[in-house]
């Protein structure tokens, strides 16, 4: 397709092009607020989870299956939520950077989340087997499997479509432009599934470990609920951030259309 063809970003431009527009104070305030709040919540989710597992769940020990399990929430929230969340948010933050650099950073953050997810999965698998606890019976585990499968599919297709195929940029442009809304929509869906999986996992853990004490509003229960509230907040603000039509570089194009 010719480089000046009409695309989803507007007449006369490629889907990954941006036109410069002047921003008003309100738009800048909204942009800064969304980026700052999103970043704080993404970091807070991992920090509070680490604090919970160390202070209340006695930390990590690969020789003790109960303490080995503690790697699971830390690494899963770190990989699926914090790293993947920042990867998605890059399309909101880095509008002034080269589009290729943004793609590489987006891929890098997702790639860093892969070992977290793999180790986190192996930790809970081995911990359950040592304690003779059944696997894949709960809603949490079902959602986790769906999230893992969708994440893997997204990463492979995204890496192939938006990086590998750039070697034949013009020849593959039509295919890549078709994949943009699909990849963007399923990327947000994967993040939302990760949030749902983490919240159901926290709820399940709270009932198993705290039992009747959970209803007494004990301190650990408050911490676990706080993690769940932070995750829910991220499930609201991250999709809002990437689907906003205004940004420092362009007041017309959705951020997710620059994939």
């Amino acid at each position: 397709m010719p480089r000046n063809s009409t695309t989803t970003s507007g007449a006369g431009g490629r889907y990954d092009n941006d036109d410069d527009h002047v921003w008003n104070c309100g738009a800048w305030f909204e942009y800064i607020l969304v980026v700052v709040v999103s970043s704080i919540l993404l970091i807070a989710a991992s920090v509070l989870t680490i604090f919970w597992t160390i202070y209340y769940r006695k930390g990590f020990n690969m020789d003790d299956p109960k303490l080995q399990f503690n790697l699971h929430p830390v690494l899963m929230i770190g990989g699926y939520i914090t790293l993947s969340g920042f990867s998605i948010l890059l399309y909101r933050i880095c509008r002034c950077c080269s589009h290729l650099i943004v793609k590489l950073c987006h891929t890098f953050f997702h790639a860093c989340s892969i070992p977290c997810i793999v180790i986190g999965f192996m930790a809970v698998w081995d911990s359950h087997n040592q304690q003779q606890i059944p696997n894949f019976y709960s809603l949490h585990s079902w959602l986790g499997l769906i999230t893992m499968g969708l994440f893997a599919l997204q990463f492979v297709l995204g890496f192939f479509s938006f990086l590998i195929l750039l070697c034949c940029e013009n020849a593959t442009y039509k295919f890549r432009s078709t994949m943009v809304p699909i990849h963007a929509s399923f990327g947000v869906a994967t993040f939302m599934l990760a949030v749902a999986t983490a919240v159901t996992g926290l709820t399940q853990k709270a009932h198993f470990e705290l039992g009747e004490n959970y209803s007494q509003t004990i301190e650990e229960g408050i911490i676990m609920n706080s993690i769940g509230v932070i995750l829910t907040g991220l499930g609201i603000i991250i999709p809002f951030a990437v689907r906003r039509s205004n940004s420092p570089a362009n007041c017309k194009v959705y951020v997710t259309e620059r994939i």
Side-chain angles (χ1 to χ4, degrees):
M1 180 178 290
R3 295 185 67 87
N4 61 350
S5 299
T6 300
T7 66
T8 58
S9 63
R14 293 169 60 85
Y15 76 96
D16 55 356
N17 285 345
D18 285 325
D19 302 315
D20 292 328
H21 292 82
V22 177
W23 256 32
N24 57 35
C25 293
W28 274 110
F29 175 78
E30 182 268 344
Y31 166 77
I32 294 172
L33 181 65
V34 168
V35 170
V36 170
V37 172
S38 300
S39 300
I40 290 174
L41 291 180
L42 286 169
I43 295 172
S46 285
V47 170
L48 197 57
T49 303
I50 293 171
F51 169 75
W52 165 58
T53 53
I54 292 176
Y55 189 80
Y56 294 100
R57 296 286 102 202
K58 301 180 181 179
F60 316 99
N61 188 338
M62 297 302 292
D63 296 325
D64 185 335
K66 289 187 177 181
L67 300 186
Q68 180 182 355
F69 174 88
N70 292 340
L71 287 171
H72 178 68
V74 169
L75 293 177
M76 288 303 195
I77 289 179
Y80 274 129
I81 304 299
T82 301
L83 290 175
S84 293
F86 273 118
S87 179
I88 295 171
L89 196 61
L90 279 171
Y91 277 92
R92 181 69 170 177
I93 299 175
C94 301
R95 299 285 286 177
C96 58
C97 299
S98 164
H99 189 46
L100 179 59
I101 292 176
V102 176
K103 284 184 179 181
L104 292 174
C105 291
H106 180 74
T107 305
F108 174 77
F109 272 91
H110 274 311
C112 288
S113 67
I114 292 176
C116 294
I117 294 169
V118 172
I119 296 173
F121 174 78
M122 295 304 298
V124 69
W125 176 271
D126 191 47
S127 175
H128 279 188
N129 289 340
Q130 290 187 54
Q131 299 179 80
Q132 297 183 339
I133 299 175
N135 291 297
F136 309 124
Y137 69 91
S138 64
L139 175 62
H140 167 67
S141 60
W142 287 21
L143 289 176
L145 285 175
I146 296 172
T147 306
M148 289 180 66
L150 193 56
F151 180 90
L153 182 63
Q154 275 282 98
F155 185 85
V156 172
L157 290 180
F159 186 84
F160 176 77
S161 301
F162 302 112
L163 286 178
I164 300 299
L165 291 185
L166 282 179
C167 61
C168 305
E169 184 175 3
N170 290 330
T172 61
Y173 168 73
K174 186 174 182 180
F175 171 76
R176 288 184 290 112
S177 62
T178 302
M179 287 293 296
V180 166
I182 298 173
H183 183 73
S185 297
F186 276 95
V188 173
T190 303
F191 185 81
M192 296 296 289
L193 271 171
V195 169
T197 303
V199 170
T200 54
L202 284 169
T203 303
Q204 180 176 301
K205 185 69 172 175
H207 284 291
F208 283 169
E209 297 294 339
L210 305 182
E212 294 181 357
N213 292 329
Y214 186 41
S215 62
Q216 304 302 316
T217 320
I218 62 174
E219 189 175 90
E220 183 177 359
I222 293 174
I223 295 296
M224 297 179 75
N225 288 349
S226 299
I227 298 173
V229 170
I230 290 173
L231 294 173
T232 303
L234 286 169
I236 296 171
I237 195 169
I238 293 296
F240 170 81
V242 298
R243 294 305 299 174
R244 283 290 287 166
S245 59
N246 59 335
S247 67
N250 193 329
C251 295
K252 294 182 179 179
V253 184
Y254 283 147
V255 175
T256 46
E257 289 177 353
R258 295 181 71 250
I259 294 176

